[in-house]
Amino acid sequence: QVQLAESGGGLVQAGGSLRLSCAASRRTFGTYPMGWFRQAPGKEREFVAAISRIGTSTYYADSVKGRFTISRDNTRNTLLLQMNSLKPEDTAVYYCAVHAGGNRTSANAYESWGQGTQVTVSS
């Protein structure tokens, strides 16, 4: 089972940018479709973005479309999330995970979750 570790979170002002990274432990990273989710205090974990095995297909939640970009570098076993024009409502812990199958927008379809990285956007 692949192990994932997120990094790159922090505190940023509204309108700013952050780039999240997710490092995978296995060279087979390129065989997994991947996704980013987030969870704010008191709320359920919600879908942010997903990407196919070789990065040719990407999917976004409506709330981040046009502001966030998911990408991957399979040569470095790394998943990325570029977040621009950040809003206070983007504040959450962000997680990466492996899409094991099924509805790509459902957290139940994912496994091998990382520990998460905190993103805080101040107004």
Short mmCIF file of all heavy atoms in Angstrom, two decimals, residues 44-117:
data_model
loop_
_atom_site.label_atom_id
_atom_site.label_comp_id
_atom_site.label_asym_id
_atom_site.label_seq_id
_atom_site.Cartn_x
_atom_site.Cartn_y
_atom_site.Cartn_z
N GLU A 44 -17.96 17.84 6.81
CA GLU A 44 -17.51 16.59 6.22
C GLU A 44 -16.36 16.83 5.24
O GLU A 44 -16.21 17.93 4.71
CB GLU A 44 -18.68 15.91 5.49
CG GLU A 44 -19.79 15.43 6.41
CD GLU A 44 -20.83 14.60 5.68
OE1 GLU A 44 -20.75 14.52 4.44
OE2 GLU A 44 -21.71 14.04 6.35
N ARG A 45 -15.59 15.76 5.02
CA ARG A 45 -14.52 15.86 4.05
C ARG A 45 -15.14 16.03 2.66
O ARG A 45 -16.05 15.29 2.28
CB ARG A 45 -13.67 14.59 4.11
CG ARG A 45 -12.35 14.70 3.41
CD ARG A 45 -11.43 13.56 3.82
NE ARG A 45 -11.07 13.62 5.23
CZ ARG A 45 -10.13 12.86 5.79
NH1 ARG A 45 -9.48 11.97 5.06
NH2 ARG A 45 -9.87 12.97 7.07
N GLU A 46 -14.63 17.00 1.90
CA GLU A 46 -15.23 17.27 0.59
C GLU A 46 -14.20 17.18 -0.53
O GLU A 46 -13.02 17.50 -0.35
CB GLU A 46 -15.90 18.66 0.57
CG GLU A 46 -14.96 19.83 0.70
CD GLU A 46 -15.65 21.16 0.43
OE1 GLU A 46 -16.82 21.18 0.03
OE2 GLU A 46 -14.98 22.21 0.61
N PHE A 47 -14.68 16.79 -1.67
CA PHE A 47 -13.86 16.64 -2.87
C PHE A 47 -13.38 17.99 -3.35
O PHE A 47 -14.13 18.97 -3.36
CB PHE A 47 -14.69 15.97 -3.96
CG PHE A 47 -14.04 15.95 -5.31
CD1 PHE A 47 -13.00 15.08 -5.58
CD2 PHE A 47 -14.47 16.81 -6.32
CE1 PHE A 47 -12.41 15.05 -6.83
CE2 PHE A 47 -13.88 16.79 -7.56
CZ PHE A 47 -12.85 15.91 -7.82
N VAL A 48 -12.10 18.03 -3.76
CA VAL A 48 -11.52 19.25 -4.32
C VAL A 48 -11.16 19.04 -5.79
O VAL A 48 -11.60 19.79 -6.66
CB VAL A 48 -10.28 19.69 -3.53
CG1 VAL A 48 -9.58 20.87 -4.22
CG2 VAL A 48 -10.64 20.02 -2.10
N ALA A 49 -10.35 18.01 -6.06
CA ALA A 49 -9.89 17.78 -7.42
C ALA A 49 -9.39 16.34 -7.55
O ALA A 49 -9.01 15.72 -6.55
CB ALA A 49 -8.78 18.76 -7.79
N ALA A 50 -9.39 15.85 -8.79
CA ALA A 50 -8.88 14.51 -9.07
C ALA A 50 -8.14 14.52 -10.39
O ALA A 50 -8.36 15.40 -11.23
CB ALA A 50 -10.02 13.50 -9.10
N ILE A 51 -7.28 13.53 -10.56
CA ILE A 51 -6.46 13.45 -11.77
C ILE A 51 -6.27 11.99 -12.15
O ILE A 51 -6.17 11.12 -11.28
CB ILE A 51 -5.11 14.16 -11.54
CG1 ILE A 51 -4.35 14.33 -12.84
CG2 ILE A 51 -4.28 13.43 -10.49
CD1 ILE A 51 -3.16 15.30 -12.73
N SER A 52 -6.20 11.73 -13.45
CA SER A 52 -6.01 10.38 -13.95
C SER A 52 -4.56 9.92 -13.76
O SER A 52 -3.70 10.69 -13.36
CB SER A 52 -6.40 10.31 -15.42
OG SER A 52 -5.60 11.20 -16.18
N ARG A 53 -4.30 8.66 -14.08
CA ARG A 53 -2.99 8.05 -13.83
C ARG A 53 -1.84 8.83 -14.46
O ARG A 53 -0.79 9.01 -13.84
CB ARG A 53 -2.97 6.62 -14.33
CG ARG A 53 -3.86 5.67 -13.54
CD ARG A 53 -3.85 4.28 -14.16
NE ARG A 53 -4.65 3.33 -13.42
CZ ARG A 53 -5.96 3.21 -13.54
NH1 ARG A 53 -6.61 3.96 -14.39
NH2 ARG A 53 -6.61 2.33 -12.80
N ILE A 54 -2.01 9.26 -15.69
CA ILE A 54 -0.91 9.96 -16.35
C ILE A 54 -1.18 11.44 -16.49
O ILE A 54 -0.43 12.16 -17.17
CB ILE A 54 -0.59 9.34 -17.73
CG1 ILE A 54 -1.82 9.40 -18.64
CG2 ILE A 54 -0.09 7.91 -17.56
CD1 ILE A 54 -1.51 8.96 -20.07
N GLY A 55 -2.25 11.92 -15.85
CA GLY A 55 -2.50 13.35 -15.79
C GLY A 55 -3.22 13.94 -16.97
O GLY A 55 -3.31 15.17 -17.08
N THR A 56 -3.73 13.11 -17.85
CA THR A 56 -4.39 13.64 -19.04
C THR A 56 -5.81 14.12 -18.77
O THR A 56 -6.36 14.91 -19.54
CB THR A 56 -4.42 12.59 -20.15
OG1 THR A 56 -4.97 11.37 -19.63
CG2 THR A 56 -3.02 12.33 -20.68
N SER A 57 -6.40 13.64 -17.66
CA SER A 57 -7.75 14.05 -17.31
C SER A 57 -7.76 14.61 -15.89
O SER A 57 -7.17 14.02 -14.99
CB SER A 57 -8.72 12.88 -17.39
OG SER A 57 -8.80 12.38 -18.71
N THR A 58 -8.44 15.74 -15.73
CA THR A 58 -8.56 16.37 -14.40
C THR A 58 -10.02 16.73 -14.13
O THR A 58 -10.80 16.95 -15.08
CB THR A 58 -7.70 17.63 -14.30
OG1 THR A 58 -8.06 18.54 -15.34
CG2 THR A 58 -6.21 17.30 -14.42
N TYR A 59 -10.36 16.78 -12.86
CA TYR A 59 -11.74 17.03 -12.44
C TYR A 59 -11.69 17.95 -11.22
O TYR A 59 -10.80 17.81 -10.39
CB TYR A 59 -12.42 15.72 -12.07
CG TYR A 59 -12.24 14.63 -13.10
CD1 TYR A 59 -11.13 13.80 -13.06
CD2 TYR A 59 -13.15 14.46 -14.14
CE1 TYR A 59 -10.92 12.82 -14.01
CE2 TYR A 59 -12.96 13.47 -15.10
CZ TYR A 59 -11.85 12.66 -15.02
OH TYR A 59 -11.66 11.70 -15.97
N TYR A 60 -12.65 18.86 -11.13
CA TYR A 60 -12.65 19.85 -10.06
C TYR A 60 -14.04 20.03 -9.46
O TYR A 60 -15.05 19.94 -10.16
CB TYR A 60 -12.17 21.21 -10.58
CG TYR A 60 -10.75 21.20 -11.07
CD1 TYR A 60 -10.47 20.99 -12.43
CD2 TYR A 60 -9.69 21.39 -10.20
CE1 TYR A 60 -9.16 20.97 -12.89
CE2 TYR A 60 -8.38 21.38 -10.65
CZ TYR A 60 -8.12 21.16 -11.99
OH TYR A 60 -6.82 21.14 -12.44
N ALA A 61 -14.05 20.35 -8.18
CA ALA A 61 -15.29 20.80 -7.56
C ALA A 61 -15.62 22.18 -8.11
O ALA A 61 -14.71 22.97 -8.43
CB ALA A 61 -15.11 20.87 -6.05
N ASP A 62 -16.89 22.47 -8.23
CA ASP A 62 -17.30 23.77 -8.76
C ASP A 62 -16.72 24.92 -7.95
O ASP A 62 -16.41 25.99 -8.49
CB ASP A 62 -18.82 23.87 -8.79
CG ASP A 62 -19.45 23.00 -9.86
OD1 ASP A 62 -18.72 22.58 -10.79
OD2 ASP A 62 -20.66 22.74 -9.77
N SER A 63 -16.56 24.71 -6.66
CA SER A 63 -16.10 25.78 -5.77
C SER A 63 -14.65 26.19 -6.02
O SER A 63 -14.24 27.28 -5.60
CB SER A 63 -16.28 25.36 -4.31
OG SER A 63 -15.54 24.18 -4.05
N VAL A 64 -13.87 25.34 -6.69
CA VAL A 64 -12.46 25.66 -6.91
C VAL A 64 -12.12 25.77 -8.39
O VAL A 64 -10.98 26.15 -8.73
CB VAL A 64 -11.54 24.62 -6.25
CG1 VAL A 64 -11.88 24.45 -4.79
CG2 VAL A 64 -11.59 23.28 -6.97
N LYS A 65 -13.05 25.47 -9.24
CA LYS A 65 -12.79 25.48 -10.68
C LYS A 65 -12.34 26.87 -11.14
O LYS A 65 -12.95 27.88 -10.77
CB LYS A 65 -14.06 25.05 -11.43
CG LYS A 65 -13.83 24.54 -12.83
CD LYS A 65 -15.12 23.95 -13.40
CE LYS A 65 -15.54 22.70 -12.66
NZ LYS A 65 -16.76 22.08 -13.24
N GLY A 66 -11.26 26.91 -11.90
CA GLY A 66 -10.73 28.17 -12.37
C GLY A 66 -9.73 28.81 -11.42
O GLY A 66 -9.03 29.76 -11.79
N ARG A 67 -9.65 28.30 -10.18
CA ARG A 67 -8.70 28.84 -9.20
C ARG A 67 -7.62 27.82 -8.82
O ARG A 67 -6.47 28.19 -8.55
CB ARG A 67 -9.44 29.26 -7.93
CG ARG A 67 -10.48 30.34 -8.15
CD ARG A 67 -11.05 30.86 -6.83
NE ARG A 67 -11.73 29.81 -6.07
CZ ARG A 67 -11.39 29.45 -4.85
NH1 ARG A 67 -10.38 30.05 -4.22
NH2 ARG A 67 -12.07 28.49 -4.22
N PHE A 68 -7.99 26.54 -8.79
CA PHE A 68 -7.06 25.48 -8.39
C PHE A 68 -6.67 24.66 -9.62
O PHE A 68 -7.48 24.47 -10.53
CB PHE A 68 -7.71 24.55 -7.37
CG PHE A 68 -7.94 25.14 -6.01
CD1 PHE A 68 -7.80 26.50 -5.76
CD2 PHE A 68 -8.31 24.32 -4.95
CE1 PHE A 68 -8.03 27.04 -4.50
CE2 PHE A 68 -8.53 24.83 -3.68
CZ PHE A 68 -8.40 26.19 -3.47
N THR A 69 -5.45 24.14 -9.59
CA THR A 69 -4.98 23.26 -10.65
C THR A 69 -4.30 22.05 -10.04
O THR A 69 -3.35 22.19 -9.25
CB THR A 69 -3.99 23.98 -11.57
OG1 THR A 69 -4.61 25.15 -12.13
CG2 THR A 69 -3.53 23.06 -12.69
N ILE A 70 -4.79 20.87 -10.39
CA ILE A 70 -4.17 19.62 -9.95
C ILE A 70 -3.24 19.13 -11.04
O ILE A 70 -3.55 19.23 -12.23
CB ILE A 70 -5.25 18.56 -9.60
CG1 ILE A 70 -4.60 17.33 -8.97
CG2 ILE A 70 -6.08 18.19 -10.83
CD1 ILE A 70 -5.63 16.33 -8.43
N SER A 71 -2.10 18.60 -10.63
CA SER A 71 -1.14 18.04 -11.59
C SER A 71 -0.33 16.97 -10.87
O SER A 71 -0.44 16.80 -9.66
CB SER A 71 -0.23 19.13 -12.15
OG SER A 71 0.53 19.74 -11.12
N ARG A 72 0.47 16.26 -11.65
CA ARG A 72 1.30 15.21 -11.07
C ARG A 72 2.60 15.08 -11.83
O ARG A 72 2.65 15.36 -13.04
CB ARG A 72 0.55 13.88 -11.02
CG ARG A 72 0.20 13.29 -12.36
CD ARG A 72 -0.78 12.13 -12.22
NE ARG A 72 -0.24 11.07 -11.39
CZ ARG A 72 -0.99 10.11 -10.85
NH1 ARG A 72 -2.30 10.10 -11.03
NH2 ARG A 72 -0.44 9.16 -10.11
N ASP A 73 3.62 14.65 -11.12
CA ASP A 73 4.91 14.34 -11.73
C ASP A 73 5.23 12.90 -11.35
O ASP A 73 5.74 12.64 -10.26
CB ASP A 73 5.97 15.31 -11.21
CG ASP A 73 7.31 15.09 -11.89
OD1 ASP A 73 7.50 14.05 -12.54
OD2 ASP A 73 8.18 15.96 -11.76
N ASN A 74 4.94 11.99 -12.26
CA ASN A 74 5.12 10.56 -11.95
C ASN A 74 6.60 10.19 -11.86
O ASN A 74 6.94 9.17 -11.24
CB ASN A 74 4.40 9.71 -12.98
CG ASN A 74 2.89 9.77 -12.82
OD1 ASN A 74 2.38 10.22 -11.80
ND2 ASN A 74 2.18 9.32 -13.84
N THR A 75 7.48 10.98 -12.44
CA THR A 75 8.91 10.69 -12.32
C THR A 75 9.42 10.98 -10.91
O THR A 75 10.44 10.45 -10.49
CB THR A 75 9.71 11.51 -13.33
OG1 THR A 75 9.60 12.90 -13.00
CG2 THR A 75 9.22 11.28 -14.75
N ARG A 76 8.69 11.85 -10.19
CA ARG A 76 9.06 12.19 -8.83
C ARG A 76 8.07 11.70 -7.80
O ARG A 76 8.14 12.07 -6.63
CB ARG A 76 9.23 13.71 -8.72
CG ARG A 76 10.32 14.27 -9.61
CD ARG A 76 10.55 15.74 -9.39
NE ARG A 76 11.63 16.25 -10.24
CZ ARG A 76 12.10 17.48 -10.20
NH1 ARG A 76 11.59 18.35 -9.35
NH2 ARG A 76 13.08 17.85 -11.00
N ASN A 77 7.12 10.88 -8.25
CA ASN A 77 6.10 10.32 -7.34
C ASN A 77 5.41 11.42 -6.53
O ASN A 77 5.23 11.32 -5.31
CB ASN A 77 6.72 9.31 -6.37
CG ASN A 77 7.30 8.11 -7.09
OD1 ASN A 77 6.91 7.79 -8.21
ND2 ASN A 77 8.25 7.45 -6.47
N THR A 78 5.01 12.49 -7.22
CA THR A 78 4.47 13.66 -6.53
C THR A 78 3.17 14.13 -7.17
O THR A 78 3.06 14.21 -8.39
CB THR A 78 5.48 14.82 -6.54
OG1 THR A 78 6.68 14.39 -5.90
CG2 THR A 78 4.92 16.03 -5.81
N LEU A 79 2.21 14.44 -6.31
CA LEU A 79 0.95 15.05 -6.71
C LEU A 79 0.96 16.49 -6.23
O LEU A 79 1.44 16.78 -5.13
CB LEU A 79 -0.21 14.29 -6.05
CG LEU A 79 -1.63 14.80 -6.30
CD1 LEU A 79 -2.04 14.51 -7.74
CD2 LEU A 79 -2.60 14.14 -5.32
N LEU A 80 0.44 17.39 -7.06
CA LEU A 80 0.48 18.81 -6.73
C LEU A 80 -0.92 19.43 -6.78
O LEU A 80 -1.80 18.94 -7.49
CB LEU A 80 1.38 19.55 -7.71
CG LEU A 80 2.83 19.09 -7.77
CD1 LEU A 80 3.53 19.70 -8.97
CD2 LEU A 80 3.55 19.43 -6.49
N LEU A 81 -1.09 20.51 -6.00
CA LEU A 81 -2.32 21.29 -6.08
C LEU A 81 -1.92 22.76 -5.98
O LEU A 81 -1.52 23.23 -4.91
CB LEU A 81 -3.29 20.94 -4.96
CG LEU A 81 -4.66 21.64 -5.05
CD1 LEU A 81 -5.43 21.13 -6.27
CD2 LEU A 81 -5.47 21.41 -3.78
N GLN A 82 -2.01 23.46 -7.09
CA GLN A 82 -1.75 24.89 -7.13
C GLN A 82 -3.05 25.61 -6.82
O GLN A 82 -4.04 25.42 -7.53
CB GLN A 82 -1.22 25.30 -8.50
CG GLN A 82 -0.97 26.80 -8.64
CD GLN A 82 0.16 27.29 -7.76
OE1 GLN A 82 1.20 26.64 -7.65
NE2 GLN A 82 -0.04 28.43 -7.11
N MET A 83 -3.02 26.43 -5.78
CA MET A 83 -4.22 27.13 -5.34
C MET A 83 -4.01 28.63 -5.46
O MET A 83 -3.13 29.20 -4.80
CB MET A 83 -4.54 26.76 -3.89
CG MET A 83 -4.66 25.26 -3.66
SD MET A 83 -5.22 24.83 -2.00
CE MET A 83 -3.89 25.50 -1.02
N ASN A 84 -4.79 29.26 -6.32
CA ASN A 84 -4.71 30.70 -6.54
C ASN A 84 -6.00 31.37 -6.11
O ASN A 84 -7.03 30.71 -5.94
CB ASN A 84 -4.43 30.99 -8.01
CG ASN A 84 -3.12 30.43 -8.50
OD1 ASN A 84 -2.16 30.33 -7.74
ND2 ASN A 84 -3.07 30.05 -9.77
N SER A 85 -5.94 32.68 -5.95
CA SER A 85 -7.13 33.47 -5.59
C SER A 85 -7.85 32.85 -4.39
O SER A 85 -9.07 32.66 -4.39
CB SER A 85 -8.09 33.57 -6.78
OG SER A 85 -7.45 34.16 -7.89
N LEU A 86 -7.08 32.54 -3.38
CA LEU A 86 -7.64 31.85 -2.22
C LEU A 86 -8.64 32.72 -1.47
O LEU A 86 -8.51 33.95 -1.42
CB LEU A 86 -6.51 31.42 -1.28
CG LEU A 86 -5.75 30.18 -1.75
CD1 LEU A 86 -4.40 30.07 -1.06
CD2 LEU A 86 -6.58 28.94 -1.51
N LYS A 87 -9.64 32.05 -0.91
CA LYS A 87 -10.72 32.70 -0.17
C LYS A 87 -10.75 32.16 1.25
O LYS A 87 -10.32 31.02 1.49
CB LYS A 87 -12.07 32.42 -0.85
CG LYS A 87 -12.14 32.80 -2.32
CD LYS A 87 -13.46 32.38 -2.92
CE LYS A 87 -13.53 32.73 -4.40
NZ LYS A 87 -14.84 32.30 -5.00
N PRO A 88 -11.29 32.90 2.17
CA PRO A 88 -11.40 32.39 3.56
C PRO A 88 -12.13 31.05 3.64
O PRO A 88 -11.79 30.21 4.48
CB PRO A 88 -12.17 33.50 4.27
CG PRO A 88 -11.80 34.74 3.54
CD PRO A 88 -11.70 34.32 2.10
N GLU A 89 -13.09 30.83 2.76
CA GLU A 89 -13.83 29.56 2.77
C GLU A 89 -13.00 28.39 2.27
O GLU A 89 -13.46 27.24 2.34
CB GLU A 89 -15.13 29.68 1.97
CG GLU A 89 -14.96 30.24 0.58
CD GLU A 89 -15.25 31.74 0.50
OE1 GLU A 89 -14.80 32.49 1.41
OE2 GLU A 89 -15.93 32.16 -0.47
N ASP A 90 -11.80 28.63 1.78
CA ASP A 90 -10.90 27.55 1.41
C ASP A 90 -10.13 27.02 2.63
O ASP A 90 -9.40 26.03 2.52
CB ASP A 90 -9.88 28.02 0.36
CG ASP A 90 -10.53 28.37 -0.96
OD1 ASP A 90 -11.43 27.64 -1.41
OD2 ASP A 90 -10.12 29.40 -1.56
N THR A 91 -10.28 27.66 3.76
CA THR A 91 -9.60 27.22 4.98
C THR A 91 -10.05 25.82 5.36
O THR A 91 -11.24 25.55 5.50
CB THR A 91 -9.89 28.20 6.13
OG1 THR A 91 -9.32 29.48 5.81
CG2 THR A 91 -9.30 27.69 7.44
N ALA A 92 -9.08 24.91 5.50
CA ALA A 92 -9.37 23.51 5.80
C ALA A 92 -8.05 22.75 5.92
O ALA A 92 -6.99 23.28 5.58
CB ALA A 92 -10.22 22.88 4.70
N VAL A 93 -8.16 21.51 6.36
CA VAL A 93 -7.05 20.57 6.24
C VAL A 93 -7.20 19.87 4.89
O VAL A 93 -8.29 19.38 4.57
CB VAL A 93 -7.05 19.54 7.38
CG1 VAL A 93 -5.91 18.54 7.18
CG2 VAL A 93 -6.92 20.24 8.72
N TYR A 94 -6.14 19.88 4.12
CA TYR A 94 -6.16 19.29 2.78
C TYR A 94 -5.46 17.94 2.79
O TYR A 94 -4.37 17.81 3.35
CB TYR A 94 -5.48 20.23 1.79
CG TYR A 94 -6.36 21.40 1.40
CD1 TYR A 94 -6.64 22.41 2.32
CD2 TYR A 94 -6.93 21.49 0.14
CE1 TYR A 94 -7.46 23.48 1.98
CE2 TYR A 94 -7.75 22.55 -0.22
CZ TYR A 94 -8.01 23.54 0.71
OH TYR A 94 -8.83 24.58 0.38
N TYR A 95 -6.11 16.96 2.14
CA TYR A 95 -5.61 15.59 2.11
C TYR A 95 -5.46 15.11 0.66
O TYR A 95 -6.30 15.45 -0.18
CB TYR A 95 -6.59 14.64 2.79
CG TYR A 95 -6.86 14.93 4.24
CD1 TYR A 95 -7.88 15.79 4.62
CD2 TYR A 95 -6.11 14.32 5.25
CE1 TYR A 95 -8.15 16.06 5.95
CE2 TYR A 95 -6.37 14.57 6.58
CZ TYR A 95 -7.39 15.43 6.92
OH TYR A 95 -7.65 15.68 8.24
N CYS A 96 -4.46 14.28 0.42
CA CYS A 96 -4.38 13.57 -0.84
C CYS A 96 -4.67 12.09 -0.57
O CYS A 96 -4.51 11.62 0.56
CB CYS A 96 -3.01 13.73 -1.50
SG CYS A 96 -1.63 13.11 -0.52
N ALA A 97 -5.13 11.41 -1.61
CA ALA A 97 -5.49 10.01 -1.45
C ALA A 97 -5.51 9.33 -2.81
O ALA A 97 -5.58 9.99 -3.86
CB ALA A 97 -6.86 9.88 -0.77
N VAL A 98 -5.48 8.01 -2.77
CA VAL A 98 -5.54 7.19 -3.97
C VAL A 98 -7.00 6.89 -4.31
O VAL A 98 -7.76 6.44 -3.44
CB VAL A 98 -4.77 5.88 -3.76
CG1 VAL A 98 -4.97 4.95 -4.95
CG2 VAL A 98 -3.29 6.15 -3.53
N HIS A 99 -7.38 7.11 -5.56
CA HIS A 99 -8.72 6.77 -6.00
C HIS A 99 -8.77 5.28 -6.28
O HIS A 99 -8.22 4.81 -7.27
CB HIS A 99 -9.10 7.58 -7.24
CG HIS A 99 -10.48 7.30 -7.73
ND1 HIS A 99 -10.84 7.43 -9.06
CD2 HIS A 99 -11.61 6.91 -7.07
CE1 HIS A 99 -12.11 7.12 -9.19
NE2 HIS A 99 -12.60 6.82 -8.00
N ALA A 100 -9.46 4.54 -5.42
CA ALA A 100 -9.49 3.09 -5.54
C ALA A 100 -10.57 2.61 -6.49
O ALA A 100 -10.56 1.43 -6.90
CB ALA A 100 -9.70 2.48 -4.16
N GLY A 101 -11.52 3.48 -6.85
CA GLY A 101 -12.59 3.08 -7.75
C GLY A 101 -13.91 3.67 -7.31
O GLY A 101 -14.08 3.97 -6.14
N GLY A 102 -14.83 3.81 -8.25
CA GLY A 102 -16.14 4.37 -7.93
C GLY A 102 -16.18 5.87 -8.11
O GLY A 102 -15.33 6.47 -8.77
N ASN A 103 -17.19 6.47 -7.51
CA ASN A 103 -17.43 7.90 -7.63
C ASN A 103 -16.22 8.72 -7.18
O ASN A 103 -15.90 8.79 -6.00
CB ASN A 103 -18.66 8.26 -6.79
CG ASN A 103 -19.03 9.73 -6.90
OD1 ASN A 103 -18.36 10.52 -7.57
ND2 ASN A 103 -20.09 10.12 -6.21
N ARG A 104 -15.56 9.38 -8.11
CA ARG A 104 -14.33 10.09 -7.78
C ARG A 104 -14.55 11.29 -6.87
O ARG A 104 -13.57 11.85 -6.36
CB ARG A 104 -13.61 10.54 -9.04
CG ARG A 104 -14.32 11.61 -9.84
CD ARG A 104 -13.43 12.11 -10.98
NE ARG A 104 -13.09 11.07 -11.92
CZ ARG A 104 -13.84 10.73 -12.97
NH1 ARG A 104 -14.96 11.37 -13.19
NH2 ARG A 104 -13.45 9.77 -13.79
N THR A 105 -15.78 11.72 -6.70
CA THR A 105 -16.03 12.86 -5.81
C THR A 105 -16.40 12.42 -4.39
O THR A 105 -16.64 13.26 -3.53
CB THR A 105 -17.16 13.75 -6.36
OG1 THR A 105 -18.39 13.04 -6.34
CG2 THR A 105 -16.84 14.21 -7.78
N SER A 106 -16.45 11.12 -4.16
CA SER A 106 -16.80 10.59 -2.84
C SER A 106 -15.56 10.13 -2.09
O SER A 106 -14.75 9.37 -2.63
CB SER A 106 -17.76 9.41 -2.99
OG SER A 106 -17.94 8.76 -1.74
N ALA A 107 -15.44 10.56 -0.85
CA ALA A 107 -14.29 10.16 -0.04
C ALA A 107 -14.25 8.64 0.16
O ALA A 107 -13.18 8.06 0.35
CB ALA A 107 -14.33 10.86 1.32
N ASN A 108 -15.40 8.00 0.09
CA ASN A 108 -15.46 6.54 0.25
C ASN A 108 -14.76 5.79 -0.88
O ASN A 108 -14.48 4.60 -0.74
CB ASN A 108 -16.91 6.08 0.36
CG ASN A 108 -17.58 6.56 1.63
OD1 ASN A 108 -16.92 6.74 2.66
ND2 ASN A 108 -18.88 6.78 1.58
N ALA A 109 -14.51 6.46 -1.99
CA ALA A 109 -13.87 5.83 -3.14
C ALA A 109 -12.34 5.91 -3.08
O ALA A 109 -11.67 5.47 -4.00
CB ALA A 109 -14.36 6.49 -4.42
N TYR A 110 -11.81 6.46 -1.98
CA TYR A 110 -10.38 6.69 -1.86
C TYR A 110 -9.78 5.90 -0.70
O TYR A 110 -10.47 5.57 0.27
CB TYR A 110 -10.10 8.18 -1.68
CG TYR A 110 -10.36 8.99 -2.92
CD1 TYR A 110 -11.66 9.30 -3.31
CD2 TYR A 110 -9.32 9.42 -3.73
CE1 TYR A 110 -11.91 10.02 -4.47
CE2 TYR A 110 -9.56 10.16 -4.88
CZ TYR A 110 -10.87 10.45 -5.24
OH TYR A 110 -11.11 11.16 -6.40
N GLU A 111 -8.46 5.68 -0.79
CA GLU A 111 -7.75 4.98 0.25
C GLU A 111 -6.35 5.57 0.38
O GLU A 111 -5.96 6.44 -0.39
CB GLU A 111 -7.68 3.48 -0.06
CG GLU A 111 -6.93 3.16 -1.34
CD GLU A 111 -6.98 1.68 -1.70
OE1 GLU A 111 -7.85 0.95 -1.19
OE2 GLU A 111 -6.11 1.25 -2.49
N SER A 112 -5.61 5.06 1.35
CA SER A 112 -4.22 5.48 1.57
C SER A 112 -4.11 6.98 1.82
O SER A 112 -3.24 7.66 1.26
CB SER A 112 -3.32 5.08 0.39
OG SER A 112 -3.36 3.70 0.16
N TRP A 113 -4.92 7.51 2.67
CA TRP A 113 -4.95 8.94 2.96
C TRP A 113 -3.66 9.39 3.64
O TRP A 113 -3.11 8.70 4.49
CB TRP A 113 -6.12 9.27 3.87
CG TRP A 113 -7.46 9.04 3.24
CD1 TRP A 113 -8.16 7.86 3.21
CD2 TRP A 113 -8.25 10.00 2.55
NE1 TRP A 113 -9.35 8.04 2.54
CE2 TRP A 113 -9.43 9.35 2.12
CE3 TRP A 113 -8.10 11.36 2.25
CZ2 TRP A 113 -10.44 10.00 1.41
CZ3 TRP A 113 -9.10 11.99 1.55
CH2 TRP A 113 -10.25 11.32 1.13
N GLY A 114 -3.21 10.61 3.26
CA GLY A 114 -2.10 11.22 3.97
C GLY A 114 -2.59 11.80 5.29
O GLY A 114 -3.76 11.70 5.62
N GLN A 115 -1.67 12.45 6.01
CA GLN A 115 -2.00 12.99 7.33
C GLN A 115 -2.64 14.37 7.23
O GLN A 115 -3.19 14.88 8.20
CB GLN A 115 -0.75 13.07 8.20
CG GLN A 115 0.13 14.30 7.99
CD GLN A 115 0.90 14.29 6.68
OE1 GLN A 115 0.95 13.26 5.98
NE2 GLN A 115 1.49 15.42 6.32
N GLY A 116 -2.55 15.00 6.07
CA GLY A 116 -3.17 16.30 5.86
C GLY A 116 -2.24 17.46 6.11
O GLY A 116 -1.25 17.35 6.85
N THR A 117 -2.53 18.59 5.48
CA THR A 117 -1.78 19.82 5.70
C THR A 117 -2.78 20.97 5.85
O THR A 117 -3.74 21.07 5.08
CB THR A 117 -0.79 20.08 4.55
OG1 THR A 117 0.02 21.22 4.86
CG2 THR A 117 -1.47 20.29 3.21
#
